[in-house]
Amino acid sequence: MMWAGRVFRAALSGAPCGHRAQSALAQLRGVLEEELEGIRGAGTWKSERVITSRQGPRIHVDGISGGILNFCANNYLGLSSHPEVIQAGLQALKEFGAGLSSVRFICGTQSIHKDLEAKIARFHQREDAILYPSCFDANAGLFEALLTPEDAVLSDELNHASIIDGIRLCKAHKYRYRHLDMADLEAKLQEAQGHRLRLVATDGAFSMDGDIAPLQEICCLASRYGALVFVDECHATGFLGATGRGTDELLGVMDQVTIVNSTLGKALGGASGGYTTGPGSLVSLLRQRARPYLFSNSLPPAVVGCASKALDLLMESNAIIQSMAAKTQRFRSKMEAAGFTISGANHPICPVMLGDARLASCMADDMLKRGIFVIGFSYPVVPKGKARIRVQISAVHSEEDIDRCVEAFVEVGRLHGALP
């Protein structure tokens, strides 16, 4: 019976630990509920609406009867449900399987991964490319692998959170310049002259405001002060520039931008995946050192197949790009004529600026009641006092879709006092 005594004593000695664990859990719940209540009270609570159909200009939403016009997806070219893209994904799934169950350097690299990387490099007119599970991972992997305490990185203050987080991971000296302020960037470049490498990091198109980085001026300053230029093209790849190469093509500086990060999860099929493209030696270094690449499973074959076909369609014709540009201009001009303030310029991201977080949320809810799916954005996604409803135009929206969206905005805007 000695073992029974030991078990009994162990149970008794464990009781206080269990009690402390329950107390810690109760404390955690209290802290979390306080935080959540603060979000609700500020009117910035974000609810997830459940879509029960494919992504596209018209979708079905759980709990709402009938079709809904979708104006908040990053489906810029409408390729998320394109029949050829879907078929390419099915073919890759059938031929190469559901996944690799491995990271790339062990047994996770298939011929389709190498083919897609080569295609991305050709598309961007760079030497090589490397795939990641997402562009967030590409940004997390780049700066830490490339930059050391001897180097400096200069970042636009409104860069995407993934760029900010990626920069935080590296040990380089960090400079932040005011949004699109070239005088401030030049001052920071002058301060950073003592460092080995200087890397200017910017979004090409900024996702919350729809404005575009002045890459000609950035590249000119970079050349003057011996710096490199990095551009995140997630909201530009596939539709900005004459052939959809991005903001560097749009502004004529493709040969002056050293590194491009972008995504397969928006215009290029909309599934998932990101990449870095640039000098071959940089890509080789990232394969050796970028932690999200080394410690994440390979991109699933179906995603690779879809993205590869999306690139094929894009490189075959730029008609879809021109269609989207015309529809973007139609929405912006009609909304401004109605009295709304639309941020940015000539980008399919069309932020309807409202200022108040609760107003943006309530207007978005009422738009849904009228069959229009849009989302209100507020702090911390955007600065306080800068709440807006972000509308995103797709090439597969019809002119009638756009006109209906504008009409709903006018009706809801008047209902909530956002318009006279």
Side-chain angles (χ1 to χ4, degrees), residues 136 139 158-166 168 203:
F136 205 112
N139 286 337
L158 293 189
N159 275 339
H160 189 268
S162 61
I163 301 175
I164 295 169
D165 286 359
R168 284 173 176 164
D203 275 309

Side-chain angles (χ1 to χ4, degrees), residues 236-306:
T237 297
F239 57 92
L240 287 187
T243 61
R245 265 63 178 179
T247 55
D248 57 353
E249 180 187 45
L250 177 71
L251 298 173
V253 292
M254 289 186 73
D255 60 338
Q256 299 174 57
V257 172
T258 311
I259 307 165
V260 169
N261 277 11
S262 195
T263 181
L264 307 174
K266 293 181 172 59
L268 301 182
S272 186
Y275 58 85
T276 296
T277 185
S281 54
L282 169 65
V283 171
S284 295
L285 179 68
L286 294 174
R287 293 193 195 281
Q288 301 302 313
R289 288 188 178 171
R291 292 168 70 85
Y293 179 82
L294 292 171
F295 297 103
S296 296
N297 265 20
S298 305
L299 210 56
V303 173
V304 175
C306 288

Side-chain angles (χ1 to χ4, degrees), residues 145-160:
L146 175 62
L147 302 176
T148 74
E150 299 179 65
D151 305 317
V153 58
L154 304 94
S155 176
D156 188 293
E157 65 179 350
L158 293 189
N159 275 339
H160 189 268

Side-chain angles (χ1 to χ4, degrees), residues 345-363:
N346 301 321
H347 193 283
I349 293 174
C350 303
V352 182
M353 304 304 293
L354 298 169
D356 182 74
R358 200 178 299 277
L359 174 63
S361 178
C362 291
M363 281 186 60

Side-chain angles (χ1 to χ4, degrees), residues 307-347:
S308 185
K309 175 54 70 173
L311 274 171
D312 290 341
L313 293 171
L314 181 59
M315 289 188 284
E316 287 172 7
S317 171
N318 67 347
I320 194 170
I321 301 170
Q322 296 172 346
S323 170
M324 192 193 62
K327 291 167 184 175
T328 296
Q329 180 58 33
R330 183 182 186 91
F331 177 82
R332 284 180 169 272
S333 62
K334 284 180 173 286
M335 287 290 285
E336 288 171 350
F340 287 103
T341 298
I342 311 298
S343 181
N346 301 321
H347 193 283

Side-chain angles (χ1 to χ4, degrees), residues 48-55 59-62 70 373:
E48 297 181 0
R49 296 165 180 166
V50 179
I51 297 172
T52 59
S53 63
R54 292 180 177 182
Q55 184 63 276
I59 57 175
H60 291 276
V61 176
D62 187 37
N70 188 6
F373 193 167

